[in-house]
Amino acid sequence: MTRQTDAISASILSANFARLGEEVDHVLASGADFVHFDVMDNHYVPNLTIGPMVCEALRKHGVTAPIDVHLMVKPVDRIVPDFAQAGATYITFHPEASEHVDRTLQLIKNEGCKAGLVFNPATPLSILEYVIDKVDMILLMSVNPGFGGQSFIPTALTKLRQVRQIIDASGREIRLEVDGGVKASNIREIKEAGADTFVAGSAIFGAANANDPQRYNTIVQQFRAQLAEARF
């Protein structure tokens, strides 16, 4: 099975929200592929971030790139249609946050979006056996969800290899995304373990000179160079 094309998904959690449209324009112009939304409700995770209005605002601003919405909310189903109508491309959620995982996946698809599941570092993968036919993306958390800027948990590499085997055995075109502590120094080994979609927030937005309009080019180019070196 051929892997999906590598995609860098820039997490706006680390962006300057006072200049969000400009920030997203610059990071996409620098070579990022997706815009990643970390949606937290101060219930499922101990933090509160953004909602559908921000997604809609970026679409109205002119953003046409895929928007990759990671829901860290409970319950899930109520907010899915709002994000779909606001312009989300992918909507992923945690199985622990849904009473009926199959139904939530179908709801996302019925709303016209691609659907995915998110697995925390200690969440087992067994549920994939029953819903793999409805999944377009599998997101592995390489940190515990709730806050940006955390360090990559090394055992995530073992889990990545397991998910890659599951995807390849399914014969389906499913993106394998990793979120948490992704940076230029580890993105190669993350790809070699099986990932094809890489969420980076602080590594991109926190590593740049805010006065330089080309500020994100260097870090995105470093990511691309490391990905090109990956062997598997």
Side-chain angles (χ1 to χ4, degrees), residues 17-86:
F17 272 76
R19 301 164 57 184
L20 186 57
E22 179 185 339
E23 289 270 84
V24 171
D25 288 344
H26 285 319
V27 79
L28 292 172
S30 296
D33 303 288
F34 297 172
V35 180
H36 187 83
F37 271 54
D38 290 298
V39 181
M40 308 182 194
D41 65 353
N42 197 36
H43 179 66
Y44 179 70
V45 291
N47 203 353
L48 185 65
T49 57
I50 52 178
M53 291 172 57
V54 178
C55 184
E56 182 180 19
L58 285 179
R59 288 301 192 205
K60 288 180 176 178
H61 175 73
V63 172
T64 58
I67 292 180
D68 164 24
V69 175
H70 171 198
L71 296 179
M72 289 168 270
V73 305
K74 185 176 183 179
V76 173
D77 292 5
R78 165 63 187 85
I79 202 72
V80 165
D82 293 348
F83 266 105
Q85 292 163 22

Side-chain angles (χ1 to χ4, degrees), residues 1 7 9 11 17 36 38-39 50 58 68 92 102 118 129 138 141 144-145 183 191 210 216 220 222:
M1 184 71 185
S9 191
S11 171
F17 272 76
H36 187 83
D38 290 298
V39 181
I50 52 178
L58 285 179
D68 164 24
T92 60
D102 186 274
V118 189
E129 179 181 352
I138 297 169
M141 296 302 296
N144 289 296
K183 50 191 176 182
K191 177 177 177 178
Y216 303 127
V220 173
Q222 288 174 355

Side-chain angles (χ1 to χ4, degrees), residues 145-168:
F147 299 92
Q150 299 183 68
S151 298
F152 185 88
I153 297 174
T155 53
L157 295 173
T158 300
K159 202 168 189 178
L160 262 175
R161 296 183 187 100
Q162 294 171 343
V163 178
R164 172 48 59 192
Q165 290 179 347
I166 292 170
I167 291 173
D168 290 349

Side-chain angles (χ1 to χ4, degrees), residues 145-207:
F147 299 92
Q150 299 183 68
S151 298
F152 185 88
I153 297 174
T155 53
L157 295 173
T158 300
K159 202 168 189 178
L160 262 175
R161 296 183 187 100
Q162 294 171 343
V163 178
R164 172 48 59 192
Q165 290 179 347
I166 292 170
I167 291 173
D168 290 349
S170 77
R172 304 183 68 84
E173 293 187 357
I174 299 171
R175 283 204 166 272
L176 177 47
E177 185 172 49
V178 174
D179 184 1
V182 176
K183 50 191 176 182
S185 61
N186 64 13
I187 197 170
R188 174 178 173 175
E189 65 178 341
I190 293 170
K191 177 177 177 178
E192 290 176 341
D196 52 52
T197 309
F198 310 88
V199 177
S202 56
I204 294 177
F205 291 104

Side-chain angles (χ1 to χ4, degrees), residues 101-103 105-106 109 114-116 130-137 172:
V101 173
D102 186 274
R103 180 182 293 165
L105 288 167
Q106 194 59 57
K109 288 182 162 305
K114 295 182 179 182
Y130 304 99
V131 295
I132 195 76
D133 60 316
K134 294 184 174 68
V135 171
D136 301 295
M137 176 183 280
R172 304 183 68 84

